Structures are given as structure tokens and as C-alpha cells.
Amino acid sequence: MFENLRFPLIAAPMAGGPTTPELVAAVSAAGGFGFLAGGYLTADALDEKIATTAELTGGAFGVNLFLPGARSAADLTAHRERLLAEAIRYGVELGEPRWDDDAYPAKLAVVIERRVPVVSFTFGAPAAEEVRRLHDVGSQVVVTVTNPDEAVLAASSGADALCVQGFEAGGHRSLFADDPGSPAGGEQYGLLALLRLVAAKVTLPLIAAGGLVHGADIAAVLAAGAVAAQLGTVFLQADEAGTPLAQRHALAAGDRRTAFTRAFSGRPARGLVNRVLSDLSADAPAAYPQLHHLSKPVRAASAKAGDPEAMSLWAGQTYPLAPAGPAASIVDRLRAEAREALSRVERLR
Ligand SMILES: Cc1cc2nc3c(=O)[nH]c(=O)nc-3n(C[C@H](O)[C@H](O)[C@H](O)COP(=O)(O)O)c2cc1C
């Protein structure tokens, strides 16, 4: 699937703003492989982004979709009360905490219609019949997994490859099911441990994701058996990324911890610690996407005010080392570092 890449580097899909057609195109032009983020978009908006990206790239890119989860019956009253104080602070009203399917069936129809070469899935595995529909139009299917059991389930759906997401990763954990009893939604596996455990269970090609920020990290996961490395945070400060300014500043300062939280969306995700993450994470209910919709006006107002304290500042553990600048220069740097790392280990021969 990624055999023809000059450099087996994938720019992770980053929904909510950071991924732009320009970022995808720049990474692809530099020899990597870009992914559009389909999450949160309407089907029409996704269709438009695919068309724009196709014009910019000539077609070599993927699209990521969120699978809908079960409707949570968790009580949102206390969380709503706490978020209300934030809404009042920014002079906005809270959103409607509704469940929805993220327009999944319509967006699946769009990627099938557009014959997107690689379609990746997050928060679960598509049904075998959906995989068949994608295969019928020549698309390849990647499923993101966070533990060995999910890898087995994904393989049984007919996926062509797995994206193995370690707990170091920025953004949402791609858990198939969120365990409300666990702050991280389930067991946490470091990337190298998870690659090894998954490789022992399935024979599919593996893409490694989570905390990779240097070319030597890419060389390391390739040495560990991955066919490609998927990096998100390393591109958050790229010129072509749509990352909000307040988030760019917080990333560049590099002085915050990262932690998992359900406070913004109702699903565990890793981000920089800010006021809302510190104050509202402990009792945040497992209710995705209800909390996503509930907190949306607060997050938007915080971003608009240039204030990082009530935004979801998704980023992986190694974010202080992520560079800024044109995406092509980031890809070039990673490639040079990977080559150097490989020549260092040559002496093992
Ligand atoms: C801001 C941000 C948004 C993300 N959005 C998505 C998404 O829409 N779909 C997805 O599959 N993964 C998403 N991820 C996770 C990435 O696919 C990947 O697992 C992660 O970026 C790897 O860790 P790293 O950020 O340390 O490189 C996101 C990550 C970040 C940082």
C-alpha cells in the first residue's frame, strides 16, 4: 500500500482544523503521504475538500472517517454545570449535547464515489460489507487500533492494514469502546510494545503512530516491523496547517504537560494541560459526541479570544520537539534524520 512512497511517512489526519488540503498536498509532494480528516465535516464539505486536495496533489492521498459509537446514557448534569461557568466567562451559550453518527453513511458514500485510494477508520472497524464496497472501487482500508484485541477485530473486518496507535499519541485514542471506569478509556500501550503485541496476533501491514517526532523515531518503528510511520503533532505548527494561533503559541512555548481528558468531547484524548483540562477532567462523563457538541461554543470562543485555557489543545507527548516552518522542510528534515539514524545502526551488521 505504501510501497511506492519515496519516504514511508504519513501525515496523520487531524480533524477540527489542523489538516488542510494544502498540508496534505505539501506532504505528498515532499514524498510522504497525506490524509484528509473527514471527522466533524458534513458530507458536502468532505466532498469539496477531496476535490480541492485532488487538484493540488494529483490524487495520492487518503481520507479518514470516524465510526459512530454507541449512544451513552451517562448523566451530563454536573459536567454541564461546570462547563456553564466557562461559557459565562466567554459570553457564549453551551451547545446542544446531542448524539449523532458524524454523517458516517453519507461520508462513506462520498469516499466510495470519489474512489479515494486509501480510507482509514477511527473509533472502530467498518463492517465487512463496507470494506467490500471500498474494495470494489479499488480503495484500500486502514483501521486504527489501540490494543491487540482491536487488531484481531479489525483484521476480521477485511482491513488491508492497521494503524497502531500508542498511548503517546496526540488527539483522541482510537478506542473501539471507551471504558468509563478508566481515565484513558482502557489499557494504555506504548507504541513499540503495541507494535510487537499486534504483530504477534495479525499478519497485516502495520503503520506506527504515537509520539514520533524525529527521523530516528521513524527509523525505529520501521526497524520494529512497521511499513510506515504516521505523524500528527510534528505537523501542527507547519505553515500549511490550520492550527489555531493560540494553540501554535502554546505548542511553541513547550512548557505544559500533556494528559488524557474526556472534558471536551466525552472520549479520551491527549492534549496540553490547560484550565478546562485540569478542572473538568476528573468527573467528565464518557459521552461522545454529546460533550463535543456541548463544549463547542466554549472552545470556539476561547480560540477566538486567543486564549488557550478552554480550547482542546490536542498534541502528542513529544510536542515540545515539533518544528515550525513549511511542511516540505519538516519532511526533508525527518528524512535526513532517519537516514542518519539508519547509518548509525549499520554498525550492528
Ligand atoms: C490535533 C490532532 C487531531 C487528530 N485528529 C485525528 C483524526 O481526525 N483522525 C484520526 O484518526 N486521528 C487523529 N489524530 C491522531 C493521529 O492520527 C495520530 O494517532 C497521532 O497524531 C500520532 O501521535 P503524534 O501526534 O504524537 O504524532 C489527531 C491527532 C492530533 C494531534
Side-chain angles (χ1 to χ4, degrees):
M1 174 182 310
F2 298 107
E3 297 80 5
N4 298 331
L5 288 182
R6 277 190 279 140
F7 182 37
L9 163 72
I10 295 170
M14 294 189 283
T19 290
T20 60
E22 291 74 19
L23 178 63
V24 173
V27 170
S28 292
F33 190 88
F35 261 91
L36 273 182
Y40 311 131
L41 299 178
T42 63
D44 284 347
L46 176 61
D47 192 49
E48 238 170 74
K49 276 195 200 287
I50 294 174
T52 309
T53 313
E55 264 170 41
L56 293 172
T57 62
F61 63 94
V63 172
N64 173 253
L65 298 180
F66 290 172
L67 278 159
R71 199 182 297 246
S72 161
D75 183 359
L76 309 187
T77 317
H79 194 72
R80 184 201 276 264
E81 279 301 307
R82 287 189 283 265
L83 256 185
L84 189 57
E86 291 292 338
I88 292 168
R89 181 192 282 265
Y90 292 99
V92 293
E93 300 207 342
L94 289 175
E96 182 56 38
R98 64 176 202 282
W99 181 92
D100 62 28
D101 64 1
D102 198 43
Y104 172 70
K107 287 192 269 195
L108 184 64
V110 166
V111 296
I112 290 171
E113 169 77 25
R114 289 270 181 191
R115 297 171 179 263
V116 171
V118 186
V119 181
S120 75
F121 293 87
T122 301
F123 303 146
E129 183 266 333
E130 293 169 336
V131 174
R132 255 195 312 276
R133 284 167 61 201
L134 287 157
H135 283 166
D136 283 349
V137 297
S139 301
Q140 301 227 272
V141 174
V142 178
V143 176
T144 312
V145 302
T146 64
N147 65 47
D149 292 343
E150 291 171 353
V152 172
L153 279 174
S156 70
S157 76
D160 301 291
L162 304 182
C163 176
V164 173
Q165 186 193 45
F167 73 82
E168 306 92 335
H172 284 100
R173 301 194 71 200
S174 182
L175 299 158
F176 284 21
D178 178 10
D179 172 4
S182 153
E187 180 122 20
Q188 300 174 50
Y189 293 92
L191 178 56
L192 279 181
L194 187 55
L195 274 175
R196 190 62 49 230
L197 291 169
V198 167
K201 293 264 187 188
V202 302
T203 54
L204 293 174
L206 305 180
I207 298 160
L212 309 175
V213 76
H214 189 282
D217 307 339
I218 297 172
V221 294
L222 294 178
V227 295
Q230 178 163 313
L231 282 68
T233 297
V234 83
F235 292 112
L236 277 175
Q237 296 177 76
D239 294 348
E240 297 87 345
T243 313
L245 211 55
Q247 184 168 0
R248 285 179 186 264
H249 289 153
L251 290 163
D255 55 358
R256 296 172 191 249
R257 286 188 308 114
T258 67
F260 286 123
T261 184
R262 289 190 184 87
F264 295 103
S265 71
R267 260 185 175 274
R270 185 181 291 285
L272 307 191
V273 174
N274 60 7
R275 184 182 63 242
V276 166
L277 191 146
S278 306
D279 296 355
L280 272 67
S281 293
D283 300 313
Y288 178 91
Q290 290 93 322
L291 295 201
H292 165 78
H293 294 303
L294 184 69
S295 73
K296 192 173 179 180
V298 173
R299 289 183 279 119
S302 175
K304 197 168 164 209
D307 171 7
E309 297 305 330
M311 305 167 61
S312 49
L313 301 170
W314 303 147
Q317 286 187 313
T318 51
Y319 84 91
L321 305 176
S329 74
I330 297 173
V331 174
D332 288 346
R333 194 187 93 164
L334 291 167
R335 185 191 286 109
E337 290 166 347
R339 284 193 179 137
E340 206 217 309
L342 286 174
S343 65
R344 265 202 309 275
V345 294
E346 271 293 299
R347 67 167 186 262
L348 291 180
R349 281 176 184 248

